[in-house]
Amino acid sequence: MHSIRSKFLFLICGSIVGVFLLLAALGTYYVQTVIEEDSTEMISLLIRQKSSDLNVKFQGVEEAVTNAKNYIADKINVQKLKNDSIYRNDMLNEIALLSVGEAKVSGDVCSLYFRLEPETYGGTAGFFMKNDGEGNYAKINPTDLTKYDKTDREHVGWYYEPIQDQEALWMEPYSNENINVYMISYVAPVFVDEKLLGVVGMDIDMSKIQSVVDSVHYDNGFGFIVGGKGNLIYHKDYPKGLKAALFDAELEELTELVYDKCDGQSDEISFYNWRGKKQRLVSEKLENDMLFSISVPEKDIMKLRTKMGQQMILVLGIILVLVLLVAWRVMVRIVRPIQELTAGSSRIARGELNAQITYKSEDEIGKLADSIRMIATELQEYISYIRTQAYTDAMTGVRNKTAYLDLIKLLDKKIQEDMAEFAVAVFDVNGLKRMNDEFGHEQGDMLITDAAGAIKRVFGEEQVYRIGGDEFIVVAESMTEKEMKEALDHYDEIVKTFNERNKKYDEPLSMSKGAGFYVRGKDREYNEVFKRADEAMYQDKARHYQGRHDRRRR
């Protein structure tokens, strides 16, 4: 046996060492390949996700402004707007209400406005509303357009830039000096009959955009945005952006690379140097023509690749040691499950059906263990079935006298231990002998069955015992006298209803009944309580037959 085990271990160890060396070589190659593919895929998925988050914000504002613009162009009567101040105020309030609704749908609007052409309507005509931070918009005094030069971007650029371009546009971020917010605006000129009526627009606080860009979490990676005109909109090193005219050589190279890659193939990874460190870059064009990019340091990806390779070799080494230990003991340990099954089978054979066989496996020994467990379970179920049959009255479905005698023993023990609390009710069918004599035992059995059914409906079959032909006992633990009285009253109602509907036999269903209650410190055994209940039942039976001439009272 020892010689065979040695040969077996030698064969296992030699095979494992050979496989280990092969896996180490292949694993190193494949880990590097997988890390490279995964990092590329992760960066690509990340930029698609963040681009989608940004596009949702931009598209929501574009749709809101477009809807407001179309509503204004279709709804307003220019002539009445010029000449009727009441009409003008009503229309401005109506447009403001519509714009607020649209802004709340888009979700990120910090301010909204519709300003009428100043030469016709005055420098402050229109409305300007600001978000109070809780989703509500309050009107504030509009900026007087006539007080600022058209080139004053921080005060009135939002009005004159879309008029100059003759179309809706996204302004590059700027600091709005009117409300002291660094923002990005989507503004659209409104023309009616090809004549300028005014400008409608909505603003997004740039902190909302920056929070999306800064939420790029991939090692030490970061996101940034380049504008359609070549300016840097946002970068972790330039929070307020930077004009293209101020770019250094690295920024110029970076923005050129971003423009080259935003040609519909944003999944392609590019490489560039940023502040002396090699970076990987992926870019995507946003819906507002801005360019969003994510940059990840190459050294972090290489670090991950090296770390994964080291972890793989470590894991393989641990596996090698563990397998060698297992192989060393396999010849010894293989007999243990068999010993466990033998011991478990012996206990089951002695009647210990709850004996635990814990061994589980997919091999033949495991299947044998499953079979033994199944045998024990089936034996338990069969014995439980036999016990139920032995404790159940076949005709009525309630507990039988054997179960009743066992219950008496249990209650006597509880009385001795001062843990008892129960009530006893005794029921006896009236007129059973007359029913058997005059209509046959089949009718008598029906009477007994119906009587049992009425009792079960009140007390449940688990508390009802048939101890004689027509005698039933109810033992209800933890039932008070009040509850027993209510239960017996309920029983009388059930019997009354049954007799009103009964068409199986002429004799009405009737049972004499009596109840007794355990008194702590007085009763020393169950039978003392039973006798009081039985006596109460016989008193009830005497009242039932009082004045009758039927001698066959049973």
Side-chain angles (χ1 to χ4, degrees), residues 332-386:
V332 177
R333 294 177 63 86
I334 198 170
V335 300
R336 290 185 180 177
I338 297 177
Q339 292 173 338
E340 180 185 348
L341 294 183
T342 301
S345 300
S346 298
R347 293 179 64 187
I348 292 172
R350 293 195 301 268
E352 300 178 28
L353 300 182
N354 290 323
Q356 296 294 318
I357 297 177
T358 59
Y359 182 78
K360 292 183 179 182
S361 176
E362 297 297 328
D363 57 18
E364 289 79 1
I365 298 177
K367 293 179 180 178
L368 177 60
D370 290 338
S371 297
I372 295 174
R373 281 191 288 267
M374 187 180 299
I375 290 172
T377 300
E378 290 179 353
L379 283 173
Q380 285 179 316
E381 293 176 354
Y382 182 70
I383 290 174
S384 176
Y385 169 75
I386 294 298

Side-chain angles (χ1 to χ4, degrees), residues 366-552:
K367 293 179 180 178
L368 177 60
D370 290 338
S371 297
I372 295 174
R373 281 191 288 267
M374 187 180 299
I375 290 172
T377 300
E378 290 179 353
L379 283 173
Q380 285 179 316
E381 293 176 354
Y382 182 70
I383 290 174
S384 176
Y385 169 75
I386 294 298
R387 185 173 298 164
T388 299
Q389 293 297 102
Y391 277 26
T392 303
D393 180 65
M395 185 173 76
T396 62
V398 301
R399 299 292 185 91
N400 60 16
K401 190 170 184 178
T402 302
Y404 176 65
L405 295 176
D406 286 349
L407 175 65
I408 292 175
K409 295 177 183 177
L410 177 61
L411 291 176
D412 284 341
K413 184 177 179 181
K414 287 186 175 182
I415 292 172
Q416 293 171 8
E417 296 174 352
D418 196 25
M419 296 177 61
E421 184 179 0
F422 62 92
V424 178
V426 179
F427 292 80
D428 190 271
V429 179
N430 295 324
L432 176 64
K433 185 173 187 341
R434 181 172 177 273
M435 176 73 77
N436 287 333
D437 292 345
E438 295 184 10
F439 301 101
H441 286 278
E442 182 177 350
Q443 291 281 330
D445 289 346
M446 291 173 59
L447 184 65
I448 292 172
T449 301
D450 291 335
I455 301 173
K456 284 193 292 183
R457 286 184 61 185
V458 178
F459 296 97
E461 61 185 28
E462 295 296 321
Q463 298 187 112
V464 183
Y465 299 81
R466 184 186 180 199
I467 64 172
D470 60 347
E471 187 173 2
F472 295 88
I473 305 293
V474 172
V475 180
E477 297 195 58
S478 302
M479 179 175 279
T480 64
E481 292 189 33
K482 179 182 178 182
E483 291 171 338
M484 175 61 78
K485 183 179 182 306
E486 292 174 351
L488 294 178
D489 290 342
H490 181 42
Y491 164 80
D492 290 338
E493 293 174 2
I494 291 175
V495 171
K496 179 181 178 182
T497 302
F498 173 83
N499 287 328
E500 290 173 352
R501 299 175 180 176
N502 177 39
K503 296 181 179 179
K504 294 186 287 185
Y505 37 78
D506 295 332
E507 288 293 321
L509 173 62
S510 173
M511 293 191 76
S512 297
K513 57 188 182 297
F517 302 88
Y518 169 72
V519 180
R520 190 183 303 275
K522 175 184 176 182
D523 296 320
R524 292 172 295 176
E525 61 181 14
Y526 167 82
N527 279 333
E528 294 181 19
V529 184
F530 168 77
K531 287 178 181 178
R532 291 199 294 272
D534 195 47
E535 182 179 350
M537 183 274 293
Y538 275 107
Q539 291 175 359
D540 186 48
K541 185 175 286 290
R543 288 191 294 271
H544 174 75
Y545 285 105
Q546 187 176 5
R548 300 191 182 191
H549 300 289
D550 186 357
R551 295 181 179 179
R552 296 171 295 175

Side-chain angles (χ1 to χ4, degrees), residues 130-143:
K130 184 180 178 182
N131 193 323
D132 62 3
E134 298 182 355
N136 300 312
Y137 291 84
K139 287 185 178 181
I140 62 176
N141 293 329
T143 302

